[in-house]
Amino acid sequence: MPTTLVAEESQITNLNLMFGASGVECNELVTTLSSEATTFDIIQSIIKTKPTEIDSPFSVLDLRVVIDLMNKWTTNLPTVKPFYAVKCNPNISLLSALASLGSNFDCASLAEIKSVLSLGVSPERIIFANPCKMESHIKYAASVGVNVTTYDSVGEVEKIKRWHPNCELILRIKPEEETGAQFRLGLKYGAFLNEVPKLLKAANMAGLKVTGVAFHIGSMGANAQAYSGAILLAKTVFETASQLGMPKMKILDIGGGFSSGSKLDEASLIINDAIKSYFENEENLVVIGEPGTYFAETTFTLATKVIGKRVRGELKEYWIDDGIYGTLCMTLYDYFIVTCSTLKFGSKHENVTCKDTKTYPSTVFGPTCDSTDTVLKEYPLPELEMNDWLVFSNMGAYTTACATNFNGFSSSAKNIYIAYLS
């Protein structure tokens, strides 16, 4: 059995020392008084103790959550090595924490590879998981020793042969179903089963070694049962390569699409059973996954300040200093469930949470001059005043990573506070 990571005090201390010495991009390190302190407690403390110094909007990264998620991954998927999908949230503090906990990394570009390597991570812990890469990015990967990448076309084989002939290939295939997925990556990537022999032969003729198979069942709401069919399909590709007389494959990449809730329990049962059923006789098999949302979503909490107010009868309208062009971009999607709390630091009764007071249908706008920048519509909120705060949970996945500087406004990306145990 593999060693399970445990969220012990010594482990937190190691993370504290790492952040203290690494110069990660954050405003300061926030020490919680006890393990019982919540992220909400930390946000209140930051606002209360530094009312004139605090830059808003800001996010809090809770390292305790990162550790708990790694523990759960290791317990539920003991044979699957995590390769964190950097695109989901490239915050250097999160990458540092994951690196220290033993995670590997899924990078899709030169910039992402550079960011991970800057932390002292070995290039062997990186997969260049982009089936269509710029030539300059392939050259860079070759120069720094990132020697595993994905492909799904003959054209990509030609580029890799020319610019990175020592690179090992993983063939990206298209799962037969992406049931329920809000983001169906199969629309853009993956080879059909009838294309597999041609792609394997192309790599073999080019003198490139194909060491495995990758797939992605889609993100946000994908049916976990799809993993079983995709793993069976991958087994078929392993067999096809063997029939063509190619070297034995060793890597099974089951992609991403994992969530941090109870769905991981369901997915892990299906994945573990499928690996055992279809790859039981495969010696030295290496199984990897590419979790992004799983590690990022619940680890970040966003704090935004009320910068404007308008009352129209029962309807209350507020402006905050972050919006859909910034960290709150995910609120545009119907499937995103907004979890919003309030802090009355600008109201008469300072530092009062607003859980048991009367609520009103409220509209919340972002700071830009675009009327599309509307975060909430007719959302039940207590009456707020200028300099009160709205706090949004689960704001780590595809938030700051997708934010813009539209209209000159920045997201919370530059203002990250790290929560850890003292």
Side-chain angles (χ1 to χ4, degrees), residues 365-394:
F365 299 111
T368 70
C369 294
D370 186 351
S371 60
T372 306
D373 192 4
T374 303
V375 177
L376 300 171
K377 296 179 181 178
E378 297 188 2
Y379 191 87
L381 290 173
E383 184 162 7
L384 302 173
E385 304 297 339
M386 294 276 290
N387 297 319
D388 285 341
W389 292 73
L390 291 183
V391 179
F392 297 86
S393 301
N394 303 331

Side-chain angles (χ1 to χ4, degrees), residues 94-231:
L94 176 60
L95 299 183
S96 297
L98 288 170
S100 73
L101 294 172
S103 177
N104 307 290
F105 296 91
D106 156 9
C107 296
S109 66
L110 182 155
E112 290 184 356
I113 295 173
K114 273 189 176 180
S115 183
V116 172
L117 291 177
S118 73
L119 298 171
V121 174
S122 167
E124 286 78 19
R125 292 170 61 185
I126 297 174
I127 178 174
F128 198 171
N130 186 341
C132 185
K133 298 165 284 293
M134 296 182 186
E135 291 185 353
S136 60
H137 293 204
I138 297 173
K139 293 178 187 178
Y140 176 76
S143 71
V144 296
V146 174
N147 297 328
V148 180
T149 190
T150 55
Y151 82 109
D152 64 3
S153 69
V154 173
E156 197 69 9
V157 171
E158 295 170 351
K159 284 190 291 182
I160 295 167
K161 177 184 178 181
R162 182 175 183 183
W163 302 114
H164 196 352
N166 295 321
C167 194
E168 295 184 359
L169 302 182
I170 296 179
L171 178 56
R172 174 78 172 260
I173 59 173
K174 191 186 301 289
E176 294 180 354
E177 295 183 3
E178 292 181 289
T179 309
Q182 296 288 341
F183 291 99
R184 300 175 60 194
L185 280 79
L187 296 174
K188 186 174 184 179
Y189 297 118
F192 290 110
L193 188 59
N194 63 1
E195 297 174 321
V196 165
K198 177 182 178 180
L199 292 170
L200 291 174
K201 291 176 182 178
N204 200 37
M205 290 289 292
L208 299 173
K209 187 176 181 181
V210 183
T211 57
V213 178
F215 62 80
H216 199 301
I217 68 166
S219 297
M220 303 295 183
N223 184 353
Q225 194 61 46
Y227 282 110
S228 182
I231 291 172

